[in-house]
Amino acid sequence: MDRTIDVHTHYVPRGWPDLTAEAGPDAPWLRIESESDAMIMMGSKEFRRIQADAWDAGTRLRDMDADGVHRQVVSPTPAFFTYGRDGAEAAKVSRIFNDLALEITAPAPDRLIPFCQVPLQDPDAACRELERSIANGHRGVEIGNHVGDRDLDSEGVVTFLQHCASLDVPVFVHPWDMASSPRLDRWMAQWLTAMPAETHLSILALILGGVFDRIDDRLKICFAHGGGSFAFWLGRMENAWHGRNDVIGTSERPPSHYLGRFYVDSVVFDDRALRLLVDTVGADRVMVGSDYPYPLGERPVGQVVRKSAFLDDRSRELITHGNAERFLGLTGADTA
């Protein structure tokens, strides 16, 4: 049996209660157009067209079988994080979506692994919702890469990450809420340039913000989309840390020292990019990810890893399932 684990997929429920009171006039809702088609709405604006693969376990399982995927981490769609609202309001939204996620994954608990969302703008509420969700069956948590102008090195986020480490809960970081401008509103440029930059900045915040120096090294954290542009520019960061230490010498060690502290997914679409990624962060820190079911994802899932000419058998096993089993805490019968 293929043991491939896809750590980067998203879900959208087939409807949810009216969230106007919690999320305001631009609250998300789902405009159902047929049995298998719907439009995510943000207030009166169309956001994204989706199909049944976003909510139907049977459809997901058929696609997984076709792609040779044994297990799939099922995470929230970041548009529903509600980080811009009051913490209590965002907590209500998180509870609604987290409970609906369990309904989506319930038909195949051995194959569909739910990750929850939390009101990250309120660390205490985020910790409470994390504990509630884990007790109910969630395996990990997906968070956005920033909360307003606060990055992952802000005190509240660090408190939450420390709590995740203490509970041995894996964290998946996904970029969201990218900057908008006339230059970025063409060609999906927000997704093609801003997303990789956002993720790079988040890894930078954990390193230069000193988070890895003071947080428990039990923290298991993974970044989407191959870690964004980080791998390509690690040398630039390293040079700056040594050349302008008066400005960015804010971490105890140079950036390369922290390479073993985080994971990235493999969804970079090109064997040359995958090679740079593996050479930079190590074969033991890359996991298959697809961004399923969205159109900018990889299908068949993991094809770049499977077809790669430079990976040896051991590295391929680590990337397809071994690293994810460690990240997710799957042991013994769980890995069969």
Side-chain angles (χ1 to χ4, degrees), residues 174-192:
H174 198 286
W176 83 295
D177 192 31
M178 289 83 68
S180 178
S181 75
R183 295 175 61 232
L184 289 172
D185 291 342
R186 302 186 296 168
W187 317 310
M188 296 192 74
Q190 283 185 315
W191 279 261
L192 300 179

Side-chain angles (χ1 to χ4, degrees), residues 4 8 20 32 45 56 100 120 135 141 173 182 197 208 211 213 221 252 255 322:
T4 297
H8 181 181
T20 305
I32 303 295
K45 296 180 180 178
D56 181 65
L100 290 171
L120 198 59
V141 60
V173 181
L208 298 183
V211 179
D213 292 326
I221 189 167
E252 292 179 3

